[in-house]
Amino acid sequence: MTESRRRMSVARDTIDPVSTSGPITAKGWALFAVLSLLWGIPYLFIAEAVQSLSPPAVVAIRTLGAAILLLPFALRQKALRPALKKWPWVLAFGAVEMAGPFVLLAHAEQTLASGLTGLLVATVPLFATIIAVARGDRAALKPSRAIGLGLGFAGVAIVAIGSGGLRGDANPLAIGEVLLVAVLYAIAPFIVARHLGAVPALGVSTLALGAVGLAYTPVALSTPSEPPTARSLIAVGLLTVFCTAVAFIAFFALVAEVGPVRAPLMTYVHPVVAVALGVIVRGEPLTLGLLIGFPVVLLGCLLAAGVFTRAVRPSESLPVHP
């Protein structure tokens, strides 16, 4: 979960912020590596799942299953009651972070390569910067960040054109769906920072996932589809257990270990994992556009997020999950 996570803040009243000046511990690096893998793999699993499952079915299974797995942890930490008090904003967060992005990704990956999808989702910081400017954040207008915006979108254009977007080899509608996902992932952290900052993140995640799962279940049941293959069922099961439920638990541990400022940096590793797995496992083509555009997008995102200029406040840059 939650590229843009991913992208949730951990409750200020339940997590002790860790200084960002000290060295990252071995445990911190281990959690960073685990999460980079867990939130880079989903694009591969989604691509496999939609081979015989409808996008609504993938979303329903993933979200409801993860909510059930997280529920015991949320109950033990008494995290649900505070989330229920803010239920309108929890539902808004769930809609923007999960309900929309999950089904859009699943639909897009019926025709789009998983590696390309992961790279396009990495544009979240670009859209987050635009939103920050619209909200009056003048720091987002610094020259380096403006250059980053330009580089980032130029990189996306290179990737799209070089991957066959103009020839029809890559579905322009699917590319648009993934970029819309990036926009939604960029919006979600602002909801969290403004309205859910004092609510335990585990409670928000569990409640939002459960609500999205219940909403999509009737849609999934009414959507015609062929009998699911064992491969698709295994993929959606792994997506549910490891890339959603386990990943959220690991993310909470990472924030507690390294602090909410440095944890989001793993967002920039996701596309590397997604592209590599797409090429190695699914045999997806490593196009010239991807090779040239990938580093351009990555550099643009880093500049736009202000990684090279100053420490990023937790409310500005939050990890996203596919």
Side-chain angles (χ1 to χ4, degrees), residues 40-246:
I41 288 179
Y43 305 101
L44 172 64
F45 289 158
I46 292 171
E48 292 291 345
V50 296
Q51 295 302 310
S52 63
L53 288 168
S54 68
V58 173
V59 177
I61 295 170
R62 176 184 184 181
T63 53
L64 197 56
I68 293 171
L69 291 173
L70 289 176
L71 185 59
F73 297 95
L75 291 174
R76 187 172 65 180
Q77 295 187 18
K78 299 180 179 179
L80 287 180
R81 186 182 295 273
L84 285 169
K85 291 181 179 178
K86 294 278 190 176
W87 67 266
W89 291 111
V90 172
L91 293 182
F93 170 77
V96 174
E97 172 78 8
M98 303 169 188
F102 286 3
V103 76
L104 286 170
L105 285 175
H107 185 265
E109 287 205 55
Q110 289 181 318
T111 56
L112 208 61
S114 61
L116 176 57
T117 303
L119 175 59
L120 293 175
V121 172
T123 58
V124 169
L126 306 181
F127 293 108
T129 301
I130 293 174
I131 294 171
V133 170
R135 289 168 54 88
D137 181 3
R138 297 307 172 202
L141 294 175
K142 288 185 176 181
S144 62
R145 299 181 73 172
I147 292 172
L149 278 175
L151 280 175
F153 287 114
V156 170
I158 292 172
V159 169
I161 295 172
S163 298
L166 294 184
R167 300 191 307 271
D169 299 340
N171 189 337
L173 175 61
I175 291 176
E177 287 178 320
V178 179
L179 290 177
L180 177 57
V181 168
V183 173
L184 293 174
Y185 277 157
I187 293 172
F190 291 94
I191 296 176
V192 174
R194 186 174 180 85
H195 302 285
L196 299 171
V199 181
L202 183 56
V204 173
S205 300
T206 304
L207 186 59
L209 284 166
V212 172
L214 291 174
Y216 266 101
T217 296
V219 180
L221 292 175
S222 62
T223 302
S225 63
E226 60 186 87
T229 63
R231 188 162 178 162
S232 289
L233 290 176
I234 291 172
V236 78
L238 293 173
L239 181 68
T240 300
V241 175
F242 293 102
C243 303
T244 309
V246 174

